[in-house]
Amino acid sequence: MLSDLEIAQSAKMEPIAKIAEGIGLKEDDIEFYGKYKAKVSLDILGPLKNKKQGKYIDVTAITPTPLGEGKTVTTIGLSLGLNKIGKKVVTVIRQPSLGPVFGIKGGAAGGGYSQVLPMEDFNLHLTGDIHAVSIAHNLCAAFLDNSLVKGNKLNIDPSSILWRRVVDISDRTLRNIVIGLGGKDDGIPRQTGFDISVASEVMAILALTTDLQDLRKRLGKIFLAASYEGKPITPEDIKVAGSMAVLMKDAIKPNLLQTTENTACLVHAGPFANIAHGNSSVIADNMALKLGDYVVTESGFGADMGMEKFMNIKCRYSGLKPDCVVMVCTIRALKMHSGKFNVVAGKPLDEGLIKENIPALEQGICNLEKQIENAKLFGVPVVVAINKFTTDTDKEIEFIRKKAIEAGAEDAVLSEVWEKGGNGGKELAEAVVKACEKPSKFQFLYPLEATIKEKIEAIATKIYGAKNVSYTSVAEEKIKLYNKFGFDKLPMCMAKTHLSLSHDPLLKGRPQGFTLPVKDIRASVGAGFLYPLCGDMRTMPGLPSVPAGTKVDIDKDGKIVGLF
């Protein structure tokens, strides 16, 4: 088998104008970034307004191992499968951060014969959207510190400042820093730090906004700090919101790329799935649903994370209702959920994970059962995709299929898209088409009118399986503050580990009877949510002992090698 990069570089790409034409776009509707990339104008949304909407499919997963379970591969592969059975399909996914690309994970364009092209551009700068987010964010930080130095007319309390700076690389040494050293002309000394760019609220806003004016309005509402009188300070107050919006005027347009089988793929936004909602943009989804008969998108991490936020936050703001959820699982991950095996990135897998082991599956299948239950809480039909590895046996596959259907899935289908592309996803596509014909009973998990604690507890008990929730004194004070500011009617974006249904990454399977600790609650008012911190959340990753970037280079012909 060739490497992912070799497969991507050997694939025959079509000019992006031809890909656009295939979904009904004219050359005037797109802005070219070379031969194989384009941005799609927001002007198309008006003429498309009354066009019939396609079927809306969210690809999610069981609680993953640190290696991931193949959501992006399945998202693209399902799209290829739908195309193979004659359906007009558009894929919508996030743009990856450069931090993971050069850090632990490597590229994120799918894999094998189920990828987004050009793979190198997708994983690197693409059209500069993440850089625009970084600059808009850091301009706001500069204006905020300048306001302090130039007389502090807004009476900002420096100790209350929440707005850190961002950069799109993994650099642990920037997590906690002191700025303003040197003298009076160099600013006021204070402790702060850097987050990775995709953790910026500006990125979360980009993913949830509906148009340029809405973007401008949301940027103006970001909660940056408080005055000594306890008044929220926003970008509108420091008169930077307009400049931030100007810097984002091109980033708001979705990027059009293609798959390994020349189907259309919209790539837009890339918010963290812990601190933010971990889904691609509302704008891209709105476009895709008018341009395709089927739209396949993807939520970050497991169903308790990205899917829950897709339903409760993204769908609430977009007004869109999903027709089907695809739940990706792997046999190795379900064996891990037995609690008998530990999976560590970069280390060989335990023999018990790669040999037939029905007893381990019997103990770990509870995670799949719970995640199916979570999807069904929203009234959406579920199809399980078993992402096949060469070590999987027929007996193990049949065991999962039987248990998934017993747990309420419409079907459980083998996915071989990594090895076979669209031909390996036709059976999955047929199952998804069938599930999409079922009547929609979509519902939210909680009403916005519920209290902050009621919303947190609904997610904790119904989605995670917690018995109850505890709050630190810091969290209790934040709840009082947000009630005072009128932020209490916002949805919750829970920040917790993605490696367990609980807050503890060591608790595998289906943890029960635990107390979910809420250590703090922070506000992303511009994006439109509060995010309770359930444990220690890293907003700036670090590099591993051997970063993925050590393998990346350019050969004598100028071709990128070692990206993934």
Side-chain angles (χ1 to χ4, degrees):
M1 187 77 177
L2 299 172
S3 73
D4 289 348
L5 183 57
E6 288 168 333
I7 291 169
Q9 290 177 340
S10 65
K12 185 181 184 304
M13 286 191 285
E14 297 284 2
I16 202 65
K18 187 173 180 182
I19 302 300
E21 186 184 353
I23 54 171
L25 295 176
K26 304 183 179 104
E27 282 202 18
D28 287 346
D29 297 327
I30 60 176
E31 299 168 11
F32 292 97
Y33 281 67
K35 191 175 179 181
Y36 301 112
K37 295 177 293 184
K39 278 193 168 289
V40 184
S41 170
L42 300 194
D43 292 342
I44 71 164
L45 288 168
L48 290 174
K49 189 175 181 181
N50 296 321
K51 194 170 182 287
K52 185 183 175 185
Q53 195 160 285
K55 298 292 186 182
Y56 196 27
I57 302 146
D58 182 45
V59 178
T60 182
I62 61 169
T63 305
T65 68
L67 306 175
E69 305 320 307
K71 276 198 319 298
T72 307
V73 172
T74 306
T75 300
I76 299 161
L78 169 58
S79 299
L80 301 181
L82 286 163
N83 183 58
K84 285 283 185 186
I85 63 170
K87 306 299 182 184
K88 186 180 179 185
V89 61
V90 180
T91 316
V92 187
I93 57 177
R94 291 181 293 168
Q95 182 184 351
S97 164
L98 290 176
V101 167
F102 290 104
I104 293 175
K105 190 176 179 182
Y113 290 93
S114 179
Q115 295 191 57
V116 180
L117 305 176
M119 184 259 223
E120 303 96 316
D121 292 8
F122 173 86
N123 282 308
L124 299 174
H125 304 285
L126 196 52
T127 57
D129 294 351
I130 294 180
H131 300 309
V133 166
S134 303
I135 293 297
H137 181 113
N138 291 336
L139 181 71
C140 182
F143 266 60
L144 185 61
D145 281 309
N146 188 60
S147 184
L148 290 176
V149 172
K150 299 296 183 180
N152 196 10
K153 294 173 185 175
L154 295 170
N155 212 20
I156 300 166
D157 178 0
S159 68
S160 74
I161 293 175
L162 303 169
W163 199 248
R164 292 152 58 92
R165 285 163 170 81
V166 297
V167 63
D168 198 41
I169 53 173
S170 298
D171 191 349
R172 61 170 55 82
T173 60
L174 292 176
R175 286 173 184 160
N176 297 287
I177 62 171
V178 176
I179 61 172
L181 300 178
K184 187 178 178 182
D185 288 342
D186 300 314
I188 295 173
R190 64 181 182 88
Q191 187 171 333
T192 181
F194 275 76
D195 298 328
I196 197 161
S197 297
V198 291
S200 168
E201 186 177 345
V202 177
M203 179 63 87
I205 288 170
L206 176 63
L208 289 172
T209 193
T210 52
D211 56 45
L212 203 51
Q213 290 308 308
D214 179 64
L215 175 78
R216 170 64 180 79
K217 184 178 176 183
R218 286 173 178 268
L219 290 171
K221 290 163 64 176
I222 294 170
F223 180 30
L224 303 173
S227 68
Y228 282 110
E229 296 79 22
K231 175 182 175 291
I233 302 296
T234 69
E236 207 70 76
D237 295 321
I238 59 172
K239 302 190 181 342
V240 73
S243 292
M244 293 170 73
V246 167
L247 289 170
M248 295 292 291
K249 74 177 181 63
D250 290 320
I252 196 174
K253 303 166 190 172
N255 305 291
L256 179 64
L257 280 78
Q258 63 189 286
T259 67
T260 38
E261 295 181 13
N262 311 119
T263 61
C265 182
L266 291 175
V267 179
H268 202 213
F272 243 31
N274 290 96
I275 300 298
H277 59 89
N279 287 273
S280 54
S281 78
V282 167
I283 288 175
D285 285 3
N286 277 328
M287 283 183 177
L289 285 163
K290 299 295 186 178
L291 296 169
D293 296 328
Y294 288 83
V295 171
V296 185
T297 189
E298 172 192 350
S299 296
F301 296 141
D304 55 306
M305 295 290 289
M307 184 206 72
E308 180 270 314
K309 296 168 183 179
F310 171 86
M311 304 289 187
N312 279 322
I313 299 174
K314 186 179 180 182
C315 289
R316 200 184 294 266
Y317 282 121
S318 69
L320 301 172
K321 296 179 180 180
D323 295 287
C324 177
V325 163
V326 174
M327 187 74 62
V328 180
C329 71
T330 60
I331 286 171
R332 70 182 184 190
L334 290 172
K335 289 175 182 174
M336 178 206 69
H337 280 296
S338 68
K340 293 180 176 179
F341 309 102
N342 193 23
V343 177
V344 180
K347 291 189 177 180
L349 291 172
D350 190 290
E351 282 287 308
L353 292 170
I354 54 179
K355 287 186 176 179
E356 185 170 282
N357 191 341
I358 299 297
L361 274 181
E362 287 174 338
Q363 291 176 294
I365 198 74
C366 56
N367 187 269
L368 174 61
E369 291 168 339
K370 175 55 180 158
Q371 298 288 30
I372 292 170
E373 177 188 307
N374 285 343
K376 290 178 72 66
L377 283 171
F378 297 95
V380 183
V382 184
V383 173
V384 171
I386 306 167
N387 186 20
K388 189 177 186 298
F389 286 77
T390 54
T391 53
D392 300 342
T393 69
D394 291 344
K395 191 175 179 183
E396 289 173 326
I397 291 163
E398 185 51 38
F399 175 82
I400 292 174
R401 185 175 186 280
K402 180 172 175 285
K403 288 291 184 180
I405 292 170
E406 285 177 2
E410 303 299 318
D411 205 346
V413 182
L414 201 62
S415 173
E416 299 180 271
V417 298
W418 182 84
E419 182 184 0
K420 300 177 182 177
N423 286 326
K426 287 197 288 187
E427 188 183 352
L428 177 61
E430 296 281 8
V432 167
V433 168
K434 190 176 177 182
C436 284
E437 295 308 314
K438 295 220 157 200
S440 175
K441 298 177 183 176
F442 178 72
Q443 60 185 8
F444 297 119
L445 195 68
Y446 54 79
L448 291 181
E449 294 70 33
T451 66
I452 291 172
K453 282 190 175 182
E454 285 170 346
K455 285 180 272 202
I456 291 171
E457 285 155 20
I459 297 168
T461 57
K462 294 178 183 178
I463 299 290
Y464 306 157
K467 185 178 179 182
N468 47 44
V469 179
S470 66
Y471 301 87
T472 63
S473 57
V474 171
E476 294 281 7
E477 286 302 312
K478 289 289 183 70
I479 289 171
K480 290 178 187 174
L481 184 69
Y482 298 152
N483 284 335
K484 176 186 169 185
F485 289 160
F487 300 164
D488 55 309
K489 296 299 181 274
L490 295 173
M492 297 299 119
C493 187
M494 305 290 276
K496 75 169 187 73
T497 180
H498 64 288
L499 297 172
S500 171
L501 277 160
S502 74
H503 61 286
D504 183 350
L506 299 178
L507 295 178
K508 303 301 182 186
R510 183 177 184 167
Q512 291 178 306
F514 62 92
T515 297
L516 183 77
V518 174
K519 294 189 172 185
D520 194 0
I521 305 173
R522 295 180 186 168
S524 287
V525 183
F529 53 75
L530 302 180
Y531 60 101
L533 299 175
C534 308
D536 296 320
M537 289 292 106
R538 289 280 187 214
T539 52
M540 170 56 82
L543 293 171
S545 301
V546 183
T550 60
K551 303 178 183 69
V552 179
D553 210 333
I554 293 179
D555 69 12
K556 60 182 176 60
D557 299 317
K559 185 183 284 189
I560 294 173
V561 295
L563 189 58
F564 197 53

